[in-house]
Amino acid sequence: ECPLCLLPQPPEAFPSLASCSHRSCWTCLEQYLRLAVSESRVPVSCPHCPAALQPSDVHRLLPEPALRDKYEEFLLRRLLVADPGTRWCPAPDCSYAVFAHGCAECPRLTCGREGCGTEFCYHCRQPWHPDGPCAPAPSLATPTAQLAQPEESAHGEALAEAEDIKVCPRCSAFIMKINDGSCNRMNCTVCGCLFCWLCLREISDVHFLSPSGCTFWGKRPWSRTRRILWQLGMVLGAPMVISLAAGVAVPVITIGIPIYMGRKVLAGGPSWGVGLSGCQQCLSVTSSVLLSLFVSPIITALTVGVGVPLVLTYVYGTVVLSLCR
């Protein structure tokens, strides 16, 4: 039975994939690849897991040559937009890429496509301007100037008011998100950049833990007043909160680990097979609890000894530094 369409199929209808062991029927995989390539979701992942499908499998499963060519084009463009030295020709109807590594000091670039030859600037990526500095690029975060004028399109005005279209900070691709306060951790499908929807900066795993005002859930960053009050509260209340957390964690870990191990051994005894007698089972449970009683203080000391300094370093290092700024 195919896990996608839930229809019984003969074994030969399930092609094998080089990237993973999941199987789906040929028809479902073809339809899935058509949609993925049409929506430029390249590279294409397995419909059951995050593993990327190999190009050989994509070519084997896609029947239309046009879709195969489009897949290759999207794959190439994704590699190019992730390269910081690649520049795209700004001429209309020209998608030629110029490899411009080391051109920052001599920023005049020329499109190499036959019949184009457009000259443009390495820095601002606009047509070449020999007599003046780079003009500031228009704000792509507000779609009013880029998508539609309010007087020309009511739909454009609605989009501008909703602020639900912004650009990727790495490749400048337009990203749409329903600004309803949902997750602000965005992943650009073109270049794979992870960025914050609120501040439009590339992020790390601790971005939303930093005292910058960006929240994982929310429609906008915290105000400056709220951010300062929160940081002051963390600095003043950290000793009490840390002491309370450590006071709760020490007995919970010290007592909880032996109880957990005893219950685990007791519940797993029958599955180990071998028909342990009541005395042997009691001995195994007792030994596991006694061993846990010796190990749990060590785990508790490591948890408190490592966790407390890390929290104190964050509060009185990162938070205080941000507060001083």
Side-chain angles (χ1 to χ4, degrees), residues 1-7 9 14 23-33 46-48:
E1 183 180 276
C2 174
L4 296 181
C5 64
L6 305 180
L7 295 177
Q9 305 277 356
F14 293 85
R23 296 293 184 94
S24 302
C25 74
W26 201 287
T27 303
C28 288
L29 285 176
E30 282 187 7
Q31 184 65 18
Y32 171 73
L33 285 173
C46 168
H48 306 286

Side-chain angles (χ1 to χ4, degrees), residues 101-142:
H101 296 280
C103 296
E105 297 181 358
C106 183
R108 185 175 181 177
L109 303 177
T110 302
C111 177
R113 185 173 71 88
E114 184 178 356
C116 181
T118 301
E119 296 182 343
F120 59 99
C121 178
Y122 170 87
H123 298 293
C124 66
R125 313 184 189 196
Q126 300 298 316
W128 178 244
H129 45 86
D131 300 326
C134 293
S139 176
L140 295 177
T142 56

Side-chain angles (χ1 to χ4, degrees), residues 37-319:
V37 174
S38 300
E39 297 172 358
S40 70
R41 289 187 281 114
V42 175
V44 186
S45 61
C46 168
H48 306 286
C49 71
L53 298 182
Q54 297 295 325
S56 57
D57 287 336
V58 175
H59 278 268
R60 178 166 56 95
L61 294 169
L62 273 179
E64 297 91 346
L67 283 177
R68 292 198 292 265
D69 294 341
K70 188 175 291 187
Y71 168 78
E72 293 288 346
E73 179 184 353
F74 287 154
L75 200 62
L76 177 61
R77 288 182 68 87
R78 174 154 187 171
L79 292 174
L80 291 177
V81 297
D83 180 12
T86 301
R87 296 293 184 268
W88 300 90
C89 176
D93 301 325
C94 182
S95 59
Y96 198 82
V98 177
F99 296 98
H101 296 280
C103 296
E105 297 181 358
C106 183
R108 185 175 181 177
L109 303 177
T110 302
C111 177
R113 185 173 71 88
E114 184 178 356
C116 181
T118 301
E119 296 182 343
F120 59 99
C121 178
Y122 170 87
H123 298 293
C124 66
R125 313 184 189 196
Q126 300 298 316
W128 178 244
H129 45 86
D131 300 326
C134 293
S139 176
L140 295 177
T142 56
T144 311
Q146 295 294 321
L147 301 180
Q149 296 296 332
E151 63 271 17
E152 295 177 359
S153 172
H155 181 62
E157 182 178 5
L159 288 176
E161 292 176 356
E163 295 182 352
D164 57 356
I165 295 181
K166 296 183 180 181
V167 294
C168 171
R170 182 187 297 175
C171 68
S172 299
F174 284 97
I175 308 292
M176 175 178 285
K177 173 182 180 291
I178 299 176
N179 196 12
D180 56 354
S182 56
C183 172
N184 290 312
R185 182 179 181 272
M186 305 299 293
N187 184 9
C188 177
T189 58
V190 178
C191 66
C193 173
L194 292 175
F195 66 96
C196 173
W197 179 258
L198 299 177
C199 66
L200 294 180
R201 296 177 181 174
E202 294 192 41
I203 63 174
S204 62
D205 292 335
V206 297
H207 175 78
F208 295 105
L209 296 178
S210 63
S212 61
C214 292
T215 57
F216 192 78
W217 307 99
K219 296 183 179 180
R220 56 186 58 87
W222 283 356
S223 64
R224 186 171 182 271
T225 303
R226 185 179 181 183
R227 189 169 66 247
I228 291 176
L229 291 176
W230 172 253
Q231 293 170 4
L232 286 174
M234 291 181 65
V235 172
L236 298 177
M240 181 179 64
V241 174
I242 293 174
S243 302
L244 180 62
V248 173
V250 168
V252 168
I253 296 176
T254 305
I255 300 174
I257 290 179
I259 295 176
Y260 171 79
M261 289 302 300
R263 292 173 61 89
K264 190 75 173 176
V265 173
L266 183 62
S271 65
W272 294 339
V274 267
L276 294 177
S277 64
C279 182
Q280 291 174 328
Q281 188 174 5
C282 181
L283 181 62
S284 64
V285 172
T286 303
S287 60
S288 64
V289 171
L290 290 176
L291 181 61
S292 301
L293 286 174
F294 287 105
V295 174
S296 59
I298 301 176
I299 298 177
T300 303
L302 289 175
T303 303
V304 175
V306 174
V308 171
L310 286 177
V311 175
L312 289 175
T313 301
Y314 171 74
V315 173
Y316 295 105
T318 305
V319 175

